[in-house]
Amino acid sequence: MVILFVFLDNLFSLDYSIIIVWCFFAMAIFDVVKKELIDREVLIEKENELKLVTSALLSRGHVLMEGVPGVAKTYTSKALAKLLGLSFKRVQMTPDLLPSDIIGYYVYDQRSGGFVLRKGPIFTNILLVDEINRASPRTQSALLEAMQERQVTIEGELYKLEEPFMVIATQNPVEMEGVFPLPEAQLDRFLIKVVTGYTSTKGLVKIMKNADEIEEAIESLKPVIAHDEVLEEIRKVRYVRIDESLYSYIASIVEETRRHAAVRLGASPRAAIALVKMAKAWAYTSSRDYVIPDDVKAVAQPVLMHRIIVKPELELQGVTPDKVVEDVLSRIPVPKP
């Protein structure tokens, strides 16, 4: 890692100089993650997905990953947790899974003569909720308090979750039997939705040739950053600068989703806040201490498409939320520097 010392006493304040150093440090961290997973072809053709999930973590948000089985959703989550030195747990959702199976419960201990807490898998840094739409609404709701408040309540007792805490939930877009679609209120809790698909033919050939080596590489991954440093990186993202014109740009995008002729329900103020947070994190992982319009455009689809409901009659004609977002971005003038 190359450390850059910036001495700009006559031009910038000390705080601004620190932010510049922060940005180069952040770039080095993401470069290492990219080098370990993308350049070494542990994750093949998944660089954009990896950067989105990393940016969501730096934004203290949660991720909904949608894709057919076998497109490295679990591998991406597990590999990122290992590289960042974070604890990782996985829950396979089923219709008979109970809320207590996720958050935990009290059991009677005969040796002590009292009840002890057996913590559920939610007590971790990164929780992979596999096939979240297979769980019942009751069990899905157990995640709401944890995702929003970063705490759980067990038998009236409140337990704070360790930071950082991120839920990565996956779902299969093609299965319609035996699933419970996520309600709009829960979808809105996810900072971004990452749609991941098949690799190219060249990528598929690499996967087939190196399947065993890829699995071994993921298991042997070592942390490239300490837990406390991850918390520090999350804190630094808050200091990324965003111009007043970009706040107006984001507000116009969000409001245009509500006025769009094809939309029944547009983006909420929470979506606007999410767009600001993700734009800052995207700029930060791109080695900048300021947001540009391209950062907003880069994260607009993941932030907005799961928050938009298209009118049923137009949905039958092939209009989708991602097409709506694309149309909205083309309508709103980009701020000039």
Side-chain angles (χ1 to χ4, degrees), residues 189-207:
R189 294 293 193 275
F190 290 98
L191 184 71
I192 59 171
K193 177 181 179 180
V194 179
V195 178
T196 181
Y198 296 119
T199 60
S200 65
T201 302
K202 184 179 179 181
L204 179 57
V205 170
K206 290 180 180 179
I207 292 172

Side-chain angles (χ1 to χ4, degrees), residues 36-49:
E36 292 293 322
L37 298 181
I38 304 299
D39 296 346
R40 289 179 54 196
E41 297 187 336
V42 176
L43 296 175
I44 297 175
E45 298 179 6
K46 298 295 178 183
E47 182 177 348
N48 187 62
E49 289 90 333

Side-chain angles (χ1 to χ4, degrees), residues 126-332:
I126 296 181
L127 176 66
L128 178 66
V129 181
D130 214 354
E131 295 184 294
I132 187 173
N133 52 342
R134 285 199 173 277
S136 66
R138 179 187 177 190
T139 304
Q140 291 175 6
S141 67
L143 292 171
L144 288 179
E145 181 186 14
M147 292 171 64
Q148 185 67 22
E149 306 296 334
R150 298 176 183 272
Q151 64 186 27
V152 294
T153 304
I154 306 173
E155 298 293 336
E157 294 288 333
L158 191 67
Y159 294 90
K160 290 287 185 181
L161 298 174
E162 183 184 11
E163 292 286 353
F165 173 70
M166 179 169 71
V167 172
I168 301 178
T170 72
Q171 66 178 10
N172 185 346
V174 297
E175 291 186 350
M176 297 299 174
E177 295 182 359
V179 298
F180 301 88
L182 297 177
E184 284 73 19
Q186 189 164 346
L187 282 173
D188 204 36
R189 294 293 193 275
F190 290 98
L191 184 71
I192 59 171
K193 177 181 179 180
V194 179
V195 178
T196 181
Y198 296 119
T199 60
S200 65
T201 302
K202 184 179 179 181
L204 179 57
V205 170
K206 290 180 180 179
I207 292 172
M208 291 188 294
K209 284 183 177 179
N210 305 306
D212 293 336
E213 289 79 2
I214 289 173
E215 188 171 349
E216 291 173 1
I218 290 179
E219 292 301 324
S220 63
L221 286 173
K222 302 297 181 184
V224 297
I225 180 174
H227 180 274
D228 291 341
E229 290 177 306
V230 175
L231 296 177
E232 183 67 14
E233 294 303 297
I234 292 172
R235 187 180 70 84
K236 291 172 184 175
V237 170
R238 298 174 57 187
Y239 293 94
V240 173
R241 294 179 296 122
I242 180 168
D243 190 74
E244 191 69 29
S245 63
L246 287 179
Y247 280 115
S248 299
Y249 180 55
I250 291 172
S252 298
I253 291 172
V254 170
E255 290 174 350
E256 184 63 24
T257 65
R258 304 171 196 161
R259 294 191 292 262
H260 198 282
V263 173
R264 183 164 64 92
L265 178 66
S268 67
R270 182 183 286 157
I273 295 171
L275 201 47
V276 171
K277 288 182 176 180
M278 275 297 293
K280 285 185 174 184
W282 191 267
Y284 189 72
T285 55
S286 301
S287 185
R288 276 182 282 101
D289 67 329
Y290 56 91
V291 177
I292 61 176
D294 283 347
D295 297 323
V296 178
K297 290 181 179 181
V299 300
Q301 287 279 8
V303 169
L304 297 175
M305 63 180 172
H306 62 294
R307 293 179 162 97
I308 293 174
I309 300 178
V310 177
K311 293 177 180 178
E313 61 271 21
L314 295 176
E315 191 174 9
L316 292 173
Q317 299 176 18
V319 179
T320 58
D322 57 306
K323 290 182 180 179
V324 170
V325 175
E326 186 178 343
D327 186 38
V328 167
L329 290 175
S330 67
R331 295 183 184 184
I332 305 301

